[in-house]
Amino acid sequence: SNCTDFRPPRGVLAMTAMAAAPAAPQAPGATAIVPGEETNVRVAARIRPLLPQEKAANCCSCVTVETETQQVTVGTRRTFAFDLVFDVDSNQTEVYDGCVSSLLDGCMQGYNATILAYGQTGSGKTHTMGTGQAQLASPEAEGITPKVIRNSFLLLEQNPDVVHFKASCCYLEIYNEDLRDLLQPSAGLKHGIAIRENPDGVIQVVGLHAEECASDAEMLRCLQDGSVQRTTGATLMNEQSSRSHSIFTMILEQRVQRRAASRGGGDDSSGSPEDAAIVAPTSYRTAKFHLVDLAGSERAKRTGAVGSRFKESVAINAGLLALGNVISALGDPAKRGCHVPYRESKLTRLLQDSLGGNSRTLMVACASCADSNFEETTNTLKYAHRARNIKNKPVVNHDPRVAQLASLQDENEALRRELRRFAEGSAAAAAVGVIGLGSGLAPCTGPIAQTGDDALAEQLQVLSAKLEAAEVRSTDIAGRLASAEAECEAVRRSLA
């Protein structure tokens, strides 16, 4: 695929509660999902311990974490409250179980999800997200992104209601305000990647490759290959500083068939598979999970950035400033209803639906406890605290055209099964007649036998007519869908 939507496809609607899968258990601190209801952006604060160079410089901790009240105090005066807080001794599993697992459960139900790692350079964002080479090579240091990939495939394979699923991923970075495809770097440079918005307000990244993956191992390989291509560099504050913002997107498409009562009204376990397949409602949904590792804010006098490194820091800070302006516009009650400057940068443009749109969003504010970073830590926590006021309106993503086509295909298959059953019944009746003749018994003749044959023939004729009509409708829908996709592809090529 050469075009990736960062919002639901055209024609996406909210599914009803009957079509959605049963709600999964919520993680501690998570809120239940109510379709169509506004939810606040959840914010977690993670404080990293002192680094060896900070200890050598006699730096002290200036941050106090209160896990019982979910508060972080900087110095002695500034206290910030969050949905979850993680102290310096927290590990990767605690972070995932505390605030990420519930987002993945919602993604399995068809809700878009976004996780943003935000903070100063060298504060542990890449470590938390797990997109660095060291985190990908060590199971103990495995971060959020690889855990999401592994658990998503595990949940899909273990869910008995999922009849079919397709998983794909794309990986891009924003470097000096240019978009780069990390899965196909050479193709992206040749053809170019651009952000487009169609008349329905759907944000699309034209020219971005989406790789279909059959297993978690294949998707983890894509993550590792893309992370190798990401732009990094050494500064005085971080030996492997990310010089770009990266977005890894996992796209999940599911065909779900929930268990239903059999024709007799009892549990479907006592009925035949054909009976259960005919009466079980089928839903088709898609969801996207964006995992965003932002480059850290930095000051040139502390990082020692000069030349190209200084140019990179200017672009990084400009993108983060635009993100801060969006957070202020959405999170400040006094600015509610005012213009939101999404177009100030490509970063905020891509995150338009994650902040104030159709997504369940988590921001992980990564901060240092060193007193030398007092001001940067305070600013990070201040913006993150303000983001808690942002309201999103997530809905289950459902494409009605695909659902109608798949429903007709299911109906065709059910009718074919019925025809096979009647054909087998006819063959069995004929076999009984032959056995009766061989045993010297008189075959059943007369009005009774004729009535049975006429009824069977009539049922076969009705089923054949239904099957023919369903196949005609299915072919018509498939043709219209292919025509619409061809028109969309022509428009994309003309805009590229």
Side-chain angles (χ1 to χ4, degrees):
S1 173
N2 291 323
C3 183
T4 299
D5 296 345
F6 273 72
R7 295 180 67 180
R10 184 177 181 179
V12 166
L13 301 174
M15 291 173 58
T16 61
M18 287 295 293
Q26 298 296 317
T31 56
I33 309 174
V34 179
E37 183 174 298
E38 288 187 343
T39 61
N40 286 68
V41 170
R42 299 180 67 231
V43 180
R46 187 180 191 186
I47 309 301
R48 70 155 174 81
L50 292 172
L51 300 177
Q53 57 267 35
E54 293 171 339
K55 294 179 180 178
N58 295 321
C59 293
C60 299
S61 176
C62 64
V63 176
T64 304
V65 178
E66 296 290 342
T67 55
E68 294 182 358
T69 59
Q70 307 297 337
Q71 292 182 337
V72 177
T73 302
V74 184
T76 57
R77 298 182 179 180
R78 298 298 301 271
T79 300
F80 303 93
F82 298 101
D83 296 287
L84 287 168
V85 295
F86 299 96
D87 208 345
V88 295
D89 57 354
S90 62
N91 57 46
Q92 301 282 61
T93 302
E94 292 175 354
V95 174
Y96 179 86
D97 293 340
C99 53
V100 181
S101 59
S102 61
L103 286 179
L104 183 57
D105 292 338
C107 196
M108 293 296 108
Q109 300 176 39
Y111 292 93
N112 293 336
T114 303
I115 298 178
L116 298 128
Y118 176 83
Q120 172 194 10
T121 182
S123 58
K125 299 180 299 299
T126 300
H127 172 78
T128 298
M129 296 302 295
T131 54
Q133 293 302 304
Q135 289 73 42
L136 291 172
S138 173
E140 294 78 13
E142 188 176 72
I144 290 175
T145 304
K147 287 182 184 296
V148 166
I149 293 174
R150 294 185 192 277
N151 290 327
S152 62
F153 278 89
L154 186 63
L155 290 174
L156 287 170
E157 292 168 357
Q158 291 181 346
N159 188 351
D161 293 337
V162 176
V163 178
H164 174 74
F165 71 87
K166 184 174 73 173
S168 56
C169 66
C170 53
Y171 201 1
L172 66 83
E173 73 170 357
I174 307 173
Y175 176 69
N176 286 343
E177 278 300 290
D178 291 329
L179 298 178
R180 293 183 64 237
D181 190 341
L182 296 179
L183 296 183
Q184 290 188 347
S186 57
L189 292 175
K190 181 179 179 180
H191 301 290
I193 302 175
I195 303 173
R196 306 294 188 195
E197 181 177 0
N198 68 11
D200 294 331
V202 178
I203 301 296
Q204 297 178 332
V205 181
V206 180
L208 182 64
H209 173 71
E211 183 76 17
E212 186 172 343
C213 303
S215 65
D216 58 343
E218 292 185 11
M219 191 170 290
L220 286 170
R221 178 183 54 79
C222 291
L223 175 64
Q224 187 167 12
D225 293 345
S227 297
V228 170
Q229 298 294 331
R230 189 178 177 189
T231 307
T232 60
T235 67
L236 296 179
M237 294 188 68
N238 191 350
E239 293 181 356
Q240 292 185 338
S241 175
S242 300
R243 312 309 297 167
S244 64
H245 310 296
S246 72
I247 303 177
F248 181 87
T249 302
M250 182 173 63
I251 306 136
L252 301 177
E253 300 177 38
Q254 301 177 66
R255 174 184 168 193
V256 180
Q257 191 172 63
R258 299 179 60 188
R259 301 298 178 182
S262 63
R263 292 184 177 183
D267 188 273
D268 67 336
S269 59
S270 61
S272 66
E274 290 83 359
D275 291 343
I278 293 173
V279 299
T282 304
S283 62
Y284 306 84
R285 53 184 181 241
T286 179
K288 297 183 180 181
F289 205 130
H290 301 297
L291 297 130
V292 186
D293 181 13
L294 300 175
S297 59
E298 55 186 47
R299 295 185 178 183
K301 65 178 182 181
R302 295 195 61 191
T303 60
V306 293
S308 60
R309 288 286 175 266
F310 179 75
K311 181 181 178 182
E312 291 168 353
S313 66
V314 171
I316 290 170
N317 289 335
L320 294 175
L321 177 61
L323 178 61
N325 292 336
V326 169
I327 292 174
S328 297
L330 293 171
D332 191 347
K335 298 181 180 180
R336 190 64 55 84
C338 297
H339 170 70
V340 181
Y342 288 116
R343 295 178 179 270
E344 284 190 1
S345 74
K346 293 181 179 178
L347 173 64
T348 52
R349 192 76 168 130
L350 292 174
L351 297 179
Q352 181 170 335
D353 216 38
S354 300
L355 299 171
N358 174 24
S359 176
R360 300 177 68 222
T361 302
L362 167 73
M363 175 182 285
V364 182
C366 299
S368 166
C369 68
D371 54 3
S372 58
N373 298 320
F374 179 89
E375 187 175 352
E376 289 85 351
T377 297
T378 302
N379 289 335
T380 297
L381 297 179
K382 180 176 67 176
Y383 274 106
H385 181 266
R386 186 176 297 175
R388 296 184 69 196
N389 296 326
I390 299 176
K391 292 186 179 296
N392 290 351
K393 193 171 183 179
V395 296
V396 175
N397 300 311
H398 171 60
D399 191 336
R401 296 178 303 172
V402 176
Q404 185 179 6
L405 176 60
S407 178
L408 288 173
Q409 291 172 346
D410 288 345
E411 183 181 352
N412 292 348
E413 184 61 30
L415 290 171
R416 289 191 181 97
R417 282 196 295 267
E418 287 289 330
L419 282 173
R420 285 196 296 268
R421 289 175 58 189
F422 278 105
E424 291 170 0
S426 300
V432 170
V434 171
I435 292 173
L437 288 173
S439 303
L441 300 175
C444 182
T445 59
I448 297 178
Q450 185 66 33
T451 302
D453 291 341
D454 292 343
L456 184 59
E458 184 178 354
Q459 288 179 341
L460 286 172
Q461 186 176 2
V462 170
L463 284 173
S464 298
K466 286 184 178 180
L467 178 58
E468 184 178 356
E471 288 179 342
V472 170
R473 294 199 305 271
S474 178
T475 303
D476 180 59
I477 292 293
R480 284 187 288 171
L481 184 60
S483 176
E485 290 176 348
E487 292 178 4
C488 291
E489 186 62 27
V491 173
R492 290 166 188 157
R493 285 197 299 267
S494 65
L495 292 176

